[in-house]
Amino acid sequence: MKEYRNEIIIALVSIIGAILATWFFFFSIDEKKITVQSDLFSVVAPNPNALLCINRPSMLSKIILSDDYTKKIFATHLPPVFAKIIDKNPGIPFYLISYHEQGEVIYANATLEQAYQIADNILHPYFSSFDPKRTLIDKAEFTFYALPGNRFFVTYYNQGVWAASFSKKLLDEICLQQKIGQTALSDRILSQKKLMDRNAPLNLLIPAPSLDISVQINDSIRMGLGNGWVYADLFSSDGKLCCFSGIPYNAQLDSIYPIMADSVVRRLKSFYPNHNFLPQLSKDAERIYFTACLVQPDSVSR
């Protein structure tokens, strides 16, 4: 009987050992292979000046950034290393970029393996003159790439969220946001986020006051876009880059909307004086929609 008892104990120990080994194996696979699909908007560093959603990275890299005419619009707002990451890493289907006074941050949902692929295949060659330094801070992994002038490019990875910036402070704030688990974005931003078309290649969110668009209705009333945020869906139509947006419709302002559309075009021209934009208005019962397509000067003259 003792012999059978010993065999049963040995069998139980073996089974438990096998279960633990299997659990450890799949836990490791889970950590490396499975992306934790966090809502990237929930980890955005506080107080952004603008947000850019890249829903189709191939559209950005193959169409927009490959055309010298449209590339000029994005060149001053998209750090070259960000463009390189988006262009050379097709395994990640969505990127988010936030713009702040301290700099820009690029975000993605990624596996640990994908994070290491970005580091090994893109960032190490890009910053080839210096060896990166990795460090763990509260389970979050930071990688520092030293740059001339005592500057650093830093990447962050924790629980399926990958981010990178030239500002370590912004990444620290992302780390804090991930711990809190609650977005720092205002209701004004989140309300416009719901209106964006995530099927569009790109979405842009910007504060309405930064556009400084207003129309004088009479001697005492001036109409503008308010103090909230506005969205724009960016897409390609007949080879032209276009943006689409909408605001609540008021039938009493029918005569004002075309004037406001012209004001938007003039504002775009002030940002990009070497570019031309053709506007178009449409509406339904609730909203009026504005579309502007970028056209090259020679096509306008024809």
Side-chain angles (χ1 to χ4, degrees):
M1 190 68 181
K2 290 183 178 179
E3 293 179 359
Y4 290 115
R5 185 181 299 170
N6 290 338
E7 290 176 2
I8 292 173
I9 292 173
I10 292 172
L12 288 174
V13 170
S14 300
I15 291 171
I16 293 171
I19 292 173
L20 290 174
T22 303
W23 177 85
F24 179 79
F25 174 78
F26 282 107
F27 177 83
S28 300
I29 293 295
D30 181 74
E31 175 66 21
K32 293 182 179 179
K33 296 292 184 180
I34 299 177
T35 304
V36 179
Q37 292 295 333
S38 302
D39 179 7
L40 295 178
F41 286 89
S42 69
V43 300
V44 169
N47 303 315
N49 294 327
L51 294 166
L52 178 65
C53 303
I54 304 172
N55 303 313
R56 279 194 255 159
S58 60
M59 172 73 174
L60 181 68
S61 58
K62 293 180 182 179
I63 298 179
I64 296 174
L65 297 182
S66 63
D67 186 306
D68 290 338
Y69 190 66
T70 55
K71 186 177 180 179
K72 292 176 182 178
I73 290 182
F74 289 88
T76 57
H77 308 293
L78 190 66
V81 64
F82 286 10
K84 183 71 71 174
I85 291 168
I86 295 167
D87 184 40
K88 300 298 183 181
N89 195 51
I92 295 179
F94 173 75
Y95 292 91
L96 175 66
I97 299 177
S98 63
Y99 298 84
H100 307 260
E101 294 296 333
Q102 305 98 312
E104 305 86 7
V105 184
I106 183 171
Y107 311 75
N109 282 128
T111 64
L112 186 61
E113 183 178 40
Q114 287 173 322
Y116 286 155
Q117 286 174 350
I118 294 174
D120 295 339
N121 300 335
I122 301 171
L123 299 181
H124 292 356
Y126 192 88
F127 301 110
S128 58
S129 56
F130 297 95
D131 292 329
K133 178 184 177 183
R134 276 198 181 107
T135 181
L136 277 175
I137 303 175
D138 294 334
K139 297 182 180 180
E141 185 174 285
F142 292 84
T143 303
F144 296 81
Y145 297 85
L147 305 173
N150 197 29
R151 297 172 62 242
F152 293 91
F153 182 77
V154 189
T155 65
Y156 167 90
Y157 185 82
N158 189 25
Q159 297 180 347
V161 172
W162 177 90
S165 177
F166 289 95
S167 170
K168 169 63 163 48
K169 181 179 180 181
L170 287 173
L171 296 184
D172 287 337
E173 292 179 343
I174 293 168
C175 186
L176 180 60
Q177 285 303 125
Q178 198 170 14
K179 288 180 183 177
I180 295 173
Q182 184 176 356
T183 182
L185 300 180
S186 68
D187 291 339
R188 291 175 176 178
I189 297 176
L190 297 178
S191 64
Q192 291 298 301
K193 175 197 168 191
K194 294 177 182 177
L195 299 174
M196 298 185 313
D197 181 2
R198 295 299 291 271
N199 292 315
L202 304 171
N203 308 121
L204 179 64
L205 282 163
I206 52 176
S210 68
L211 294 174
D212 191 23
I213 294 171
S214 61
V215 175
Q216 192 75 38
I217 298 177
N218 53 43
D219 292 340
S220 60
I221 299 176
R222 193 171 186 85
M223 177 183 170
L225 295 177
N227 294 320
W229 282 57
V230 294
Y231 78 96
D233 300 324
L234 280 70
F235 61 97
S236 179
S237 176
D238 296 328
K240 299 187 291 290
L241 179 65
C242 301
C243 68
F244 171 89
S245 187
I247 59 175
Y249 173 65
N250 185 337
Q252 296 179 346
L253 300 175
D254 265 341
S255 61
I256 302 299
Y257 291 124
I259 302 174
M260 181 170 285
D262 290 339
S263 179
V264 172
V265 171
R266 286 195 299 271
R267 189 60 175 153
L268 290 173
K269 283 286 290 182
S270 71
F271 289 138
Y272 307 104
N274 297 323
H275 296 74
N276 291 316
F277 301 87
L278 293 182
Q280 182 178 351
L281 288 176
S282 60
K283 64 184 179 182
D284 58 27
E286 296 182 354
R287 300 180 69 80
I288 186 160
Y289 303 100
F290 171 82
T291 304
C293 291
L294 176 68
V295 292
Q296 297 194 23
D298 57 348
S299 63
V300 175
S301 62
R302 289 198 294 268

